[in-house]
Amino acid sequence: MKKNTQTNKFILQKLRQPVHISYIAERIVQKDIFKTQEIINEFVEDGLVVESEYGKGYYMLKKTK
């Protein structure tokens, strides 16, 4: 994961419930959707975020047991 920890913490705080990628791009990180998808993919690879069962393009924190 990239070392922009302030942005990463902010994103992860917002993903406690399913959020659509377009909302994440426009309102949270304020970058284009392609750059935002790259950031989200890094979180998915690190096992922090999963695509929600709610629908395609919705992401949320991975539930821990």
Side-chain angles (χ1 to χ4, degrees):
M1 180 180 337
K2 293 185 179 177
K3 299 296 180 193
N4 191 346
T5 57
Q6 185 177 12
T7 301
N8 291 346
K9 286 181 184 179
F10 186 66
I11 294 169
L12 292 174
Q13 288 174 348
K14 299 296 182 180
L15 295 179
R16 292 184 182 157
Q17 55 188 352
V19 180
H20 195 266
I21 186 72
S22 62
Y23 183 85
I24 298 168
E26 293 172 15
R27 305 293 176 140
I28 298 174
V29 296
Q30 298 175 347
K31 297 183 185 241
D32 65 62
I33 199 159
F34 300 108
K35 181 64 177 170
T36 303
Q37 188 65 56
E38 290 175 6
I39 294 169
I40 295 296
N41 287 343
E42 289 178 15
F43 287 133
V44 170
E45 289 173 8
D46 291 342
L48 299 172
V49 173
V50 294
E51 189 166 13
S52 174
E53 297 173 1
Y54 181 71
K56 185 167 177 63
Y58 286 84
Y59 294 90
M60 60 185 282
L61 290 177
K62 184 176 181 179
K63 295 181 181 177
T64 57
K65 294 182 182 181

